[in-house]
């Protein structure tokens, strides 16, 4: 039963991938390419490219893609479910305790020193995605020769509009998409 | 200490807003977990006022340290806060459905998709907008930490940033390290309290 195999594979992937999408990629490769040999490495590389290009969490994207290619729509649903179930159970338990004890003085003290770290991690992610947007390369490969001025101008305008007018973020993202594509078509 | 949770009455308006918001955020998010968490902060903290900034940061830390996709983890916690287990399920659906639909469609003709120039360009330029949103969120959060004027928090933030950005130390290690510092801080506090 391929469906059952897929379900248990993605259950394991969901359970053991700590730290998000990029942590899940090697696990998916191990389960799907190496152990069960359901996909070739070339197909798997395509899958990662697509999962990174499209919106949404990388692991959900990959689960859907693997599922639909190997077992159609039911496969897509089963793989995604497998990937989500561990998250759901673990985070539900954690939320329960978090909301119950978060106002306890001691817990507050511990959480207070955690928050600056989260701010730092968000800032670091912000700089990484900014490099990706302005150079179309990761931070180690970014080079002044592939600097993109269209994206830079879009970024500056967007940031200004965001801070000044606090618009709906979807307009900002879509606006950049439409405006940028038009500019590149004209150029 | 009680959160205003009405028992046995399901608030459909909240559930609908929860679904709608997670759905739109998930449809427009490229890249890793911190991107989606920034968009969630913008929507749920700044626009809807459903939770405090501190809560959002705590949720981010927990979502990052738990197994599974970070956006799903954050959605579970957000949903639970708004309307319990049902809220979690709704938030998961909102987060998972857009990528499932998009990927299902793309999988039918993924060679054409990958080689289409216009799609590639529009996905690339949209990143400028996403970058602006997350930079905006990061600036606001950093200003908040600086304005606490507590040297220890400012130092923790700067060191964590350097470790994450320049040395590529994994987020979970940084969170665990700061957690330990928090626990030491707690011991110091309780000792002071005993005297």
């Amino acid at each position: 039963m391929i469906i059952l195999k897929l379900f248990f594979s993605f259950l394991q992937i969901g359970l053991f991938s700590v730290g998000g999408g990029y942590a899940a990629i090697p696990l998916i490769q191990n389960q799907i390419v190496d152990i069960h040999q359901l996909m070739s490495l070339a197909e798997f590389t395509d899958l990662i490219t697509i999962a990174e290009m499209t919106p949404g969490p990388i692991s959900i994207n990959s689960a859907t893609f693997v599922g639909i290619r190997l077992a159609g729509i039911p496969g897509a649903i089963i793989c995604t479910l497998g990937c989500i179930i561990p998250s759901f159970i673990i985070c539900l338990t954690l939320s329960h305790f978090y909301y119950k004890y978060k106002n306890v003085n001691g817990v507050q003290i511990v959480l207070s020193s955690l928050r600056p770290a989260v701010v730092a991690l968000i800032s670091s992610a912000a700089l990484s995605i900014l490099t990706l947007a302005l150079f179309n390369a990761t931070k180690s490969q970014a080079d002044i020769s592939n600097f993109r001025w269209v994206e830079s101008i879009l970024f500056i305008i967007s940031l200004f509009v965001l801070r000044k007018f606090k618009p709906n973020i979807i307009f900002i993202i879509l606006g950049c998409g439409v405006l940028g594509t038009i500019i590149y078509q004209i150029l | 200490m009680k959160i205003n949770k009405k028992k046995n009455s399901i608030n459909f308006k909240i559930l609908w807003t929860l679904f709608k918001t997670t759905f739109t955020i998930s449809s427009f998010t490229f890249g890793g977990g911190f991107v989606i968490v920034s968009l969630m902060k913008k929507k749920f903290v700044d626009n809807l006022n459903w939770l405090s900034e501190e809560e959002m940061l705590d949720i981010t830390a927990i979502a990052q340290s738990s197994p599974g996709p970070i956006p799903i983890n954050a959605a579970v916690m957000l949903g639970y806060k708004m309307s319990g287990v049902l809220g979690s399920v709704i938030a998961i659906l909102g987060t998972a459905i857009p990528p499932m639909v998009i990927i299902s469609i793309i999988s039918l003709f993924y060679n054409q998709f990958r080689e289409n120039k216009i799609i590639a360009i529009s996905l690339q330029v949209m990143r400028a907008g996403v970058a602006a949103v997350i930079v905006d969120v990061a600036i606001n959060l950093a200003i908040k930490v600086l304005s606490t004027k507590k040297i220890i928090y400012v130092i923790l933030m700067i060191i964590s940033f350097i470790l994450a950005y320049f040395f590529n130390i994994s987020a979970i290690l940084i969170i665990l390290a700061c957690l330990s510092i928090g626990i030491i801080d707690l011991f110091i506090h309780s000792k002071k309290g005993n005297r």
Side-chain angles (χ1 to χ4, degrees), chain B residues 72-84:
Chain B
I72 296 288
N73 294 346
V76 170
M77 300 197 64
L78 260 169
Y80 185 79
K81 149 104 194 194
M82 293 320 295
S83 21

Side-chain angles (χ1 to χ4, degrees), chain A residues 41-99:
Chain A
L41 195 61
E43 257 187 300
F44 183 76
T45 315
D46 284 345
L47 148 83
I48 299 305
T49 315
I50 304 271
E52 281 177 350
M53 270 174 87
T54 45
I58 290 169
S59 32
I60 302 291
N61 289 352
S62 341
T64 308
F65 197 83
V66 171
I68 205 156
R69 288 203 78 81
L70 297 174
I73 305 265
I77 294 171
I78 288 295
C79 287
T80 310
L81 264 184
C83 195
I84 285 175
I85 286 173
S87 285
F88 180 64
I89 296 170
I90 293 168
C91 282
L92 214 54
T93 318
L94 290 174
S95 326
H96 177 77
F97 288 112
Y98 170 68
Y99 290 117

